[in-house]
């Protein structure tokens, strides 16, 4: 089972008194990844029509302006996706500017990928300069590592979890196979990069307590001057983490995909946005599913790094909400009857296969006007049959 990183002796406290940010602030939530960003983005987007009554705007046309932020940070999109352009970023900048003197909130974990100070400076200046206040949400590394690994697998990674941990924690310079990991998750350096640009008085760090599922929502409400419980969690099955069996199935598929030199565009369409997306939407993990388990040596290493990061962040003079000790707490493994074999259920494999087939069919005929998951199996067979016949006739 996944490692439990909470401390037995630490009670879940009620949210502390939080001073709201000044009216007209541009609250810039930079993540990083796997720290509650998706839940916050979903809640803000869901409440976007209610926010203006309290002087707050959520200036985006979607839950997460990922394309815009990738363009601003000079990052390519996910494997096989179209590369974002400056046009995407300019659109977001214009949307933020249109909020005028109201408080606005912009949230994307990809801001944490900003490669250098010049990019951070540009982002801050174009989103409002001195009105920008940076918010960083943090969780313990031992919580983040399994979730981030399976996310990398969803983008084509072929390396197993323990091997990946060896590279990230024991093999200097700790940049292969995913140089973005420590860019995002050496949290002290992340905070320091943004402090250099905006100053410590315009940075707030929120330590997320996983035992209090609503705590992050309440903190955002307090910072934005919103009434309690205006922000509500929005279920998002498409963002759930994969089980160990699902991840291993995908990792082996990645090996075959790469081994046969298939185009990245095909991976994006059929695998990530087809097989994986449909499987996550159609199949809910059960208590029988084996979670990704982090070995003890890696948990200890992560706790040590977390202690160093918490100490350095405290010395920067930024506002810290929550208990910094959670970042370095000595975690205890969840009780287990012993190692369990990760086996992919037949119905899960079937849903993944159907997702890939539906994605292929959705590019032509009537299916092209609908989403991948809205194509019936009967129509799917007919569409694929017609495509095969056309190819045979051309040959």
């Amino acid at each position: 089972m996944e490692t439990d990183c909470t401390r037995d002796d630490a009670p879940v406290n009620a949210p502390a008194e939080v001073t709201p940010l000044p009216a007209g602030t541009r609250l810039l939530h930079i993540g990083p990844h796997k720290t509650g960003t998706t839940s916050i983005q979903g809640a803000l987007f869901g409440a976007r029509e209610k926010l203006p009554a309290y002087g707050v705007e959520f200036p985006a046309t979607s839950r997460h302006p990922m394309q815009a932020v990738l363009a601003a940070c000079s990052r390519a999109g996910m494997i096989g996706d179209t590369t974002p352009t400056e046009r995407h970023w300019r659109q977001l900048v214009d949307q933020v500017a249109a909020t005028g003197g109201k408080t606005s909130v912009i949230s994307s974990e990809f801001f944490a990928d900003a490669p250098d100070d010049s990019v951070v400076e540009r982002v801050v200046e174009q989103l409002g300069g001195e009105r920008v206040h940076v918010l960083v949400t943090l969780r313990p590394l031992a919580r983040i590592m399994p979730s981030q690994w399976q996310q990398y697998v969803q983008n084509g990674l072929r390396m197993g979890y323990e091997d990946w941990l060896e590279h990230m924690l024991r093999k200097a310079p700790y940049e292969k196979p995913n140089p973005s990991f420590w860019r995002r998750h050496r949290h002290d350096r992340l905070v320091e990069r943004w402090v250099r640009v905006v100053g410590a008085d315009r940075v707030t760090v929120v330590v997320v307590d996983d035992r209090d599922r609503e705590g992050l929502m309440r903190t955002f409400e307090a910072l934005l001057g919103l009434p309690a419980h205006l922000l509500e969690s929005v279920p998002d099955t498409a963002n759930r983490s994969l089980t160990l069996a699902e991840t291993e199935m995908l990792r082996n598929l990645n090996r075959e995909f790469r081994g046969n030199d298939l185009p990245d565009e095909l991976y994006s369409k059929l695998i990530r946005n087809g097989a994986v997306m449909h499987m996550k939407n159609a199949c809910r993990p059960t208590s029988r599913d084996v979670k990704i388990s982090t070995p003890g040596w890696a948990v200890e290493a992560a706790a040590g790094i977390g202690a160093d990061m918490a100490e350095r962040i405290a010395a920067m003079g930024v506002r810290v909400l929550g208990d910094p000790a959670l970042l370095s707490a000595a975690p205890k493994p969840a009780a287990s009857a012993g190692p369990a074999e990760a086996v992919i259920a037949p119905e899960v494999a079937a849903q993944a296969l159907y997702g890939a087939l539906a994605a292929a069919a959705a590019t032509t005929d009537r299916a092209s006007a609908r989403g991948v998951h809205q194509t019936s199996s009967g129509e799917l067979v007919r569409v694929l049959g017609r495509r095969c016949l056309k190819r045979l006739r051309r040959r």
Side-chain angles (χ1 to χ4, degrees):
M1 301 294 288
E2 185 177 348
T3 303
D4 182 0
C5 292
T6 58
R7 298 175 301 166
D8 293 338
D9 60 341
V12 178
N13 299 316
E17 200 66 37
V18 177
T19 304
L21 296 168
T25 295
R26 302 277 169 80
L27 181 59
L28 182 61
H29 178 209
I30 66 169
H33 295 66
K34 306 304 178 184
T35 60
T37 52
T38 299
S39 62
I40 282 296
Q41 290 155 6
L44 288 166
F45 189 68
R48 67 192 182 281
E49 294 181 0
K50 301 177 183 177
L51 296 177
Y54 304 96
V56 179
E57 295 274 358
F58 185 66
T61 54
S62 63
R63 176 189 62 77
H64 179 198
M66 182 173 70
Q67 295 289 88
V69 181
L70 288 173
C73 294
S74 303
R75 266 213 50 181
M78 305 288 278
I79 178 175
D81 287 355
T82 303
T83 301
T85 66
E86 182 69 10
R87 176 180 60 82
H88 294 99
W89 172 243
R90 290 308 317 172
Q91 181 182 17
L92 179 60
V93 170
D94 291 344
Q95 289 170 332
V96 173
T99 64
K102 291 184 177 180
T103 297
S104 55
V105 54
I106 309 99
S107 174
S108 174
E109 55 269 38
F110 286 99
F111 281 121
D113 289 352
D116 52 48
D117 287 8
S118 65
V119 172
V120 174
E121 289 170 358
R122 178 199 178 206
V123 166
V124 170
E125 181 61 31
Q126 294 185 355
L127 289 181
E130 293 184 356
R131 293 174 61 184
V132 171
H133 189 97
V134 176
L135 178 65
V136 188
T137 44
L138 300 182
R139 294 175 71 225
L141 272 178
R143 284 281 193 191
I144 288 172
M145 290 187 302
S147 185
Q148 186 71 88
W149 170 72
Q150 61 84 34
Q151 193 67 52
Y152 283 132
V153 172
Q154 292 185 52
N155 198 39
L157 180 67
R158 291 162 285 171
M159 185 177 288
Y161 186 42
E162 293 208 26
D163 196 12
W164 182 81
L165 289 171
E166 286 276 351
H167 281 74
M168 292 295 101
L169 295 169
R170 286 178 168 175
K171 295 187 177 181
Y174 317 109
E175 293 181 349
K176 294 181 180 180
N178 300 111
S180 64
F181 181 78
W182 288 117
R183 186 75 187 168
R184 299 167 178 173
H185 296 302
R186 185 71 207 201
H187 299 148
D188 51 344
R189 295 173 189 165
L190 172 65
V191 173
E192 187 178 46
R193 285 198 296 274
W194 290 81
V195 165
R196 282 200 299 265
V197 174
V198 303
D201 59 328
R202 286 163 51 202
V203 174
T204 295
V205 173
V206 177
V207 180
V208 179
D209 189 335
D210 288 319
R211 297 161 301 177
D212 183 2
R213 294 185 179 276
E214 298 298 317
L216 188 56
M217 298 286 182
R218 306 292 79 83
T219 299
F220 262 78
E221 289 166 347
L223 287 170
L224 294 169
L226 299 173
H229 303 286
L230 180 71
L231 299 180
E232 298 179 351
S233 298
V234 179
D236 184 7
T237 55
N239 188 59
R240 74 165 176 84
S241 292
L242 301 180
T243 66
L244 179 58
E246 291 169 339
T247 309
E248 285 299 308
M249 178 186 72
L250 179 57
R251 188 172 70 86
N252 281 279
L253 179 56
N254 291 346
R255 287 169 136 179
E256 293 296 321
F257 191 93
R258 284 299 187 193
N260 288 281
D261 295 322
L262 296 174
D264 289 347
E265 293 79 5
L266 200 62
Y267 188 92
S268 173
K269 184 183 296 292
L270 301 188
I271 307 304
R272 187 174 63 252
N273 294 309
V276 175
M277 187 66 71
H278 186 73
M279 178 178 68
K280 290 199 292 185
N281 276 314
C283 304
R284 187 179 298 274
T286 69
S287 58
R288 298 188 303 274
D289 288 305
V290 179
K291 295 181 180 180
I292 300 166
S293 177
T294 304
W297 69 265
V299 170
E300 289 183 15
I305 295 170
D308 291 341
M309 294 192 299
E311 184 177 349
R312 288 199 67 217
I313 290 171
M316 293 179 199
V318 301
R319 175 165 62 166
V320 178
L321 303 177
D323 183 4
L326 289 174
L327 303 178
S328 58
K332 297 179 181 180
S336 174
E341 185 179 2
V343 178
I344 195 79
E347 58 269 24
V348 175
Q351 293 293 350
L353 177 58
Y354 175 80
L357 293 173
T363 59
T364 60
D365 295 344
R366 288 177 295 171
S368 62
R370 299 192 302 276
V372 168
H373 314 303
Q374 296 174 305
T375 310
S376 69
S377 56
E379 185 174 353
L380 173 62
V381 171
R382 290 192 295 274
V383 170
L384 292 176
R386 284 195 295 271
R387 293 182 67 183
C388 290
L389 283 174
K390 288 179 181 178
R391 290 181 180 178
L392 287 172
R393 286 168 182 165
R394 283 199 299 267
R395 292 177 181 176

